[in-house]
Amino acid sequence: MTPPFTLGFEQVRDELMLMQPSGCYWLTANRQEDARCLARQCIAAQHTVTLIASGLAPDTLLSPAPVGGPAAIPLFSLPETRRALHAFTDDLARVLSEKPRLVLFFAPASLWEKLSQDELRLWTKKIQHFLNAKPITLLIISFGSVINALRTRLQSLYRHVDGLAQLDWQQDCWDYRINWWANSGGMLADRALRLDLNMDHFRLLEAEQSTPLTLNDEALYLAEKTVLEGAPPLSSQWTLFDSNAELHNRAQQASAATVIFSLQHNDQIPALAEQIHSLRRTRGSGLKIVVREMRASLRYSDERLLLACGVNSIVPINATMSRFLTMLEGIQGQSYNRHVPGDLSALMKSMQPLQARGYLPLADFCQSVTLLVNNTLLPENGKGLLVALRPVPELKPEQALTLCKPRRYGDLVTLLDDRLYLFLSSCRFSDLNTALKFIFHLPHDEIFTNRLVWHEDLQILSEVRQLTSKVPTAWRDAPAPVAAPSASAVTAPQARRQPHNITLGQDTTT
């Protein structure tokens, strides 16, 4: 009987990581470096393994050599083409023997974009038929910026995929979520583990005690006084404070109360994020933290930062007092279950990765946009907008550039040919006109004749690659060498013109 293969996680129960022979298992990760650690740890735990890679050389996964694993590993490369995917099982049949082994297929998530949903279903079904009655297990590890779309597509393939799990980075730990997993004892589903990385090996992280010791203050409301719009405390359970700082100091002794901060200006975001992060990390998941926007100051990226720091609810500026109180009732009894990273500075840097604004040269512009779009901590297809603007014929592109005044960090502009290229970080498509109104001093509809907008990650990366190809370089822009004239092109010199004497101012009447 062929023994099962293992993922190699430390301190994790066997039924959550053993892979049965003749089975197909699929792991997904946001970041390539996490997927690489998964692959190397799995290889180190095997007696025999075959490695197939697409999009990169397979030997790069083995450098440096993993500690443990088989002495010899067959390596294969698969082209990133639709045709190669369709021929995958035929290629396996030609190169693999019937000996028991684990086949590890390491490929970016973008590879599966080449197949439609029906084609992907037929592909996994074909894999299943190939593995039947063979002592071979196939483990697929995928990664990349479009991983969420792939995960959604894989949810309906449980008939042909024996195991599906995902690994998500949480700044200081990793969430490992098992959708379903087949083992010798049956099928497991809906499991969640928290992992740590030690010496390039994932291991189980002991759960922290986040349940509050007492819940006797769950009926209390601690609030900054302006959130009630000048009204007195609504009951004896309400306590008002003159500032967010005083509220934060009092909330340090709360366990399950409702704490309501006010937001008057965007400059308060860093301090407010620090206060909320501190409360959530020290007081646990029972505390209910609310932020009420008193003036229009919140941006999309700011909302995501506050939510990641531990906010239960954000009340927008257009919410009436009755709506505000209804939202407070709605969060009673809730427990905050999301993980809050311990390093606040790293969290803020990941949520607001671009610390530049305004004009950048084309090369710097392309590099900055590429780094931001490839940030897997930001939402897929929600990192911003790339906008190309063509000025009216009466206006030169350089003149239009002088009218462009980006104010937010992450809003970048560059110039190429007859167009301005804008990247608006964390800007929704529905807010584009509002953003352009604040960026340009004159009505943008009168400055530009047309515009093109890209809002999906793959669209933005594709357009940036085309822009990168137009970045001037010394080699590309060097003048063409002037060829020496041939002998046949040399003509006889023309006769030199002789000068004539001219006397100026001579009197001809004498």
Side-chain angles (χ1 to χ4, degrees):
M1 181 178 179
T2 304
F5 302 95
T6 179
L7 293 176
F9 293 151
E10 298 179 5
Q11 302 177 1
V12 175
R13 294 181 299 170
D14 287 343
E15 59 265 27
L16 298 178
M17 63 176 181
L18 290 182
M19 300 172 287
Q20 300 304 308
S22 305
C24 175
Y25 296 81
W26 207 315
L27 300 184
T28 62
N30 291 97
R31 307 190 308 168
Q32 182 174 352
E33 52 264 42
D34 296 337
R36 185 176 186 273
C37 287
L38 274 175
R40 289 173 55 84
Q41 183 168 0
C42 184
I43 291 172
Q46 311 308 320
H47 294 293
T48 174
V49 63
T50 298
L51 177 59
I52 304 173
S54 181
L56 74 165
D59 56 349
T60 59
L61 294 174
L62 304 177
S63 178
V67 179
I73 301 177
L75 304 179
F76 300 94
S77 294
L78 185 80
E80 292 184 277
T81 62
R82 185 169 174 269
R83 181 178 179 180
L85 280 176
H86 284 301
F88 185 72
T89 53
D90 296 334
D91 293 338
L92 289 181
R94 283 195 298 268
V95 301
L96 296 183
S97 64
E98 295 294 327
K99 294 181 179 180
R101 72 181 67 226
L102 174 70
V103 178
L104 197 157
F105 182 24
F106 191 85
S110 57
L111 177 64
W112 313 103
E113 296 289 317
K114 304 180 187 301
L115 300 181
S116 65
Q117 183 62 26
D118 289 338
E119 289 176 326
L120 182 59
R121 179 181 60 81
L122 293 175
W123 188 84
T124 54
K125 185 177 181 181
K126 189 176 180 180
I127 292 290
Q128 186 182 41
H129 289 324
F130 171 79
L131 295 175
N132 282 341
K134 293 182 184 295
I136 298 175
T137 298
L138 176 64
L139 172 61
I140 305 174
I141 299 181
S142 300
F143 58 90
S145 59
V146 294
I147 198 66
N148 290 332
L150 177 60
R151 289 170 176 171
T152 302
R153 300 175 67 189
L154 294 176
Q155 293 296 327
S156 61
L157 303 179
Y158 56 89
R159 291 185 179 89
H160 312 303
V161 178
D162 296 274
L164 178 65
Q166 63 188 56
L167 185 69
D168 294 322
W169 185 48
Q170 301 295 326
Q171 293 287 334
D172 54 359
C173 66
W174 285 259
D175 281 343
Y176 182 68
R177 300 180 181 274
I178 299 175
N179 299 78
W180 66 86
W181 201 264
N183 53 60
S184 58
M187 178 78 75
L188 294 174
D190 295 331
R191 297 291 193 274
L193 305 175
R194 188 152 288 166
L195 303 179
D196 189 16
L197 187 63
N198 182 33
M199 302 296 291
D200 291 335
H201 279 70
F202 288 105
R203 65 178 182 180
L204 183 66
L205 184 66
E206 295 296 333
E208 298 178 359
Q209 294 294 330
S210 58
T211 305
L213 299 178
T214 178
L215 299 176
N216 58 4
D217 61 348
E218 59 184 351
L220 297 182
Y221 293 83
L222 310 176
E224 201 271 344
K225 64 181 182 180
T226 59
V227 301
L228 293 184
E229 303 176 5
L234 302 182
S235 67
S236 59
Q237 297 174 331
W238 281 75
T239 304
L240 303 184
F241 298 87
D242 292 332
S243 66
N244 285 336
E246 294 183 9
L247 172 62
H248 172 257
N249 292 335
R250 170 60 180 86
Q252 291 285 0
Q253 288 80 44
S255 296
T258 302
V259 181
I260 311 167
F261 292 93
S262 70
L263 180 60
Q264 303 284 349
H265 194 272
N266 185 262
D267 294 340
Q268 293 179 266
I269 294 294
L272 190 59
E274 183 177 0
Q275 293 167 346
I276 294 172
H277 180 268
S278 171
L279 288 177
R280 184 60 70 196
R281 292 285 299 182
T282 58
R283 304 312 301 164
S285 60
L287 202 67
K288 299 174 285 292
I289 304 177
V290 180
V291 173
R292 186 176 188 191
E293 186 183 16
M294 305 306 297
R295 296 181 182 177
S297 52
L298 265 181
R299 301 164 183 158
Y300 177 46
S301 57
D302 298 331
E303 292 180 13
R304 296 189 66 255
L305 174 62
L306 295 179
L307 290 172
C309 288
V311 167
N312 293 82
S313 180
I314 298 177
V315 183
I317 186 175
N318 56 0
T320 61
M321 176 63 76
S322 60
R323 175 60 179 163
F324 165 56
L325 297 177
T326 302
M327 294 179 69
L328 294 183
E329 293 180 9
I331 64 172
Q332 299 307 307
Q334 288 186 2
S335 178
Y336 189 87
N337 295 321
R338 294 177 59 183
H339 173 68
V340 178
D343 191 344
L344 176 61
S345 60
L347 178 61
M348 296 180 68
K349 184 178 180 181
S350 65
M351 292 294 176
Q352 300 170 340
L354 281 183
Q355 298 302 314
R357 64 181 174 184
Y359 174 79
L360 288 179
L362 181 59
D364 297 338
F365 177 89
C366 295
Q367 181 182 9
S368 298
V369 174
T370 301
L371 287 175
L372 186 138
V373 176
N374 286 328
N375 188 342
T376 58
L377 293 180
L378 298 178
E380 183 177 348
N381 297 329
K383 301 178 178 68
L385 304 176
L386 180 64
V387 187
L389 302 169
R390 177 177 293 169
V392 295
E394 297 82 6
L395 194 65
K396 294 182 179 180
E398 293 79 4
Q399 294 173 319
L401 182 62
T402 61
L403 302 175
C404 181
K405 302 295 182 183
R407 304 175 185 178
R408 296 190 314 147
Y409 282 103
D411 289 353
L412 310 176
V413 61
T414 193
L415 186 64
L416 178 63
D417 298 332
D418 61 342
R419 287 187 178 181
L420 269 67
Y421 283 86
L422 275 170
F423 183 77
L424 306 177
S425 176
S426 300
C427 180
R428 301 183 181 94
F429 185 81
S430 57
D431 297 332
L432 175 58
N433 288 330
T434 304
L436 293 178
K437 178 182 177 182
F438 283 98
I439 290 176
F440 292 96
H441 292 179
L442 299 177
H444 57 89
D445 291 336
E446 299 178 6
I447 304 175
F448 303 102
T449 57
N450 70 334
R451 70 187 183 195
L452 299 175
V453 183
W454 299 269
H455 64 281
E456 296 183 0
D457 293 349
L458 289 180
Q459 293 176 348
I460 295 175
L461 290 175
S462 176
E463 185 63 22
V464 169
R465 280 194 293 269
Q466 296 185 35
L467 296 180
T468 304
S469 65
K470 300 179 181 179
V471 174
T473 62
W475 177 261
R476 187 183 299 126
D477 297 341
V482 179
S486 61
S488 60
V490 179
T491 58
Q494 297 180 357
R496 185 174 181 179
R497 302 178 65 179
Q498 298 298 322
H500 297 278
N501 294 328
I502 299 177
T503 303
L504 300 178
Q506 184 177 0
D507 187 3
T508 58
T509 59
T510 58

